[in-house]
């Protein structure tokens, strides 16, 4: 069931190569990645790590994924999307349950990537022999319903590579 919640086919927008690997350390876990088709010509990209292991983490992961998809399809602003996912998590989860998430939207036409990082292991942008961490955002999800996240945008160039992972890597 959990493998059905990860994308079976990678998106293939013209001019971009996207790949992903999912290998939980147990049969069930709380890590996930997702791609969300967003109009017009945009792709939502998420990677998330839920606290804990096994069935409880897996159930919380499914809840966070559903919340993200529900809000991302109606709201473009990264900060607002993360704020709503956070409020949902705070309302439904037990004390001590939290998650980290990197959420971005890629505009295929302009090659602009807008992202927010909610306490997640910072993805790395490799460009021209240099690298930088994508850290703009805020704290983890699930601690306080009033938390806020910042976001940042930049344009991807030919040859740029972004590597995102969870702490399980």
């Amino acid at each position: 069931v959990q493998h059905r919640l990860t994308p079976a086919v990678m998106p293939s927008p013209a001019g971009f190569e996207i790949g992903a690997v999912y290998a939980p350390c147990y049969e069930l876990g709380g890590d996930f990645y997702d791609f969300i088709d967003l109009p017009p010509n945009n792709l939502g990209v998420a990677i998330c790590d839920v606290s804990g292991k096994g069935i409880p983490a897996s159930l919380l992961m499914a809840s966070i994924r559903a919340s993200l998809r529900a809000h991302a399809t109606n709201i473009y602003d990264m900060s607002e999307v993360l704020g709503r996912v956070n409020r949902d998590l705070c309302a439904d989860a037990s004390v001590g349950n939290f998650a980290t998430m990197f959420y971005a939207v890629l505009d295929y036409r302009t090659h602009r990537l807008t992202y927010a990082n909610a306490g997640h292991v910072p993805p790395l942008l490799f460009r021209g022999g240099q690298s930088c961490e994508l850290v703009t955002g805020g704290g983890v999800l699930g601690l306080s319903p009033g938390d806020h996240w910042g976001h940042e945008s930049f344009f991807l160039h030919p040859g740029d590579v972004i590597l995102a992972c969870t702490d399980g890597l």
Side-chain angles (χ1 to χ4, degrees):
V1 171
Q2 188 166 6
H3 282 285
R4 289 180 34 196
L5 296 176
T6 58
V9 177
M10 294 298 109
S12 55
F16 295 92
E17 294 178 37
I18 298 174
V21 174
Y22 179 73
C25 71
Y26 297 112
E27 287 185 36
L28 295 171
D31 296 357
F32 78 90
Y33 67 92
D34 202 4
F35 303 107
I36 306 166
D37 287 321
L38 301 171
N41 301 309
N42 286 277
L43 177 68
V45 179
I47 183 168
C48 180
D49 186 358
V50 174
S51 63
K53 304 259 185 265
I55 293 173
S58 179
L59 292 171
L60 191 57
M61 176 275 293
S63 175
I64 292 170
R65 180 182 177 273
S67 176
L68 173 65
R69 285 182 152 261
H71 296 303
T73 56
N74 297 306
I75 303 166
Y76 181 80
D77 184 291
M78 308 292 122
S79 304
E80 183 64 22
V81 170
L82 288 177
R84 290 183 185 210
V85 170
N86 179 61
R87 284 190 295 277
D88 292 347
L89 179 57
C90 287
D92 291 340
S94 301
V95 173
N97 288 128
F98 63 91
T100 66
M101 182 184 293
F102 177 81
Y103 177 61
V105 173
L106 171 64
D107 183 323
Y108 299 157
R109 288 175 292 132
T110 66
H111 294 206
R112 183 180 70 181
L113 185 81
T114 304
Y115 79 90
N117 190 333
H120 196 74
V121 176
L124 296 173
L125 168 65
F126 295 96
R127 174 181 285 165
Q130 302 291 320
S131 67
C132 69
E133 295 182 338
L134 304 181
V135 296
T136 300
V140 300
L141 302 169
L143 296 183
S144 172
D147 285 350
H148 298 281
W149 290 265
H151 60 272
E152 185 174 343
S153 295
F154 61 91
F155 292 93
L156 292 169
H157 301 215
D160 283 357
V161 174
I162 295 176
L163 174 65
C165 64
T166 64
D167 62 358
L169 182 65

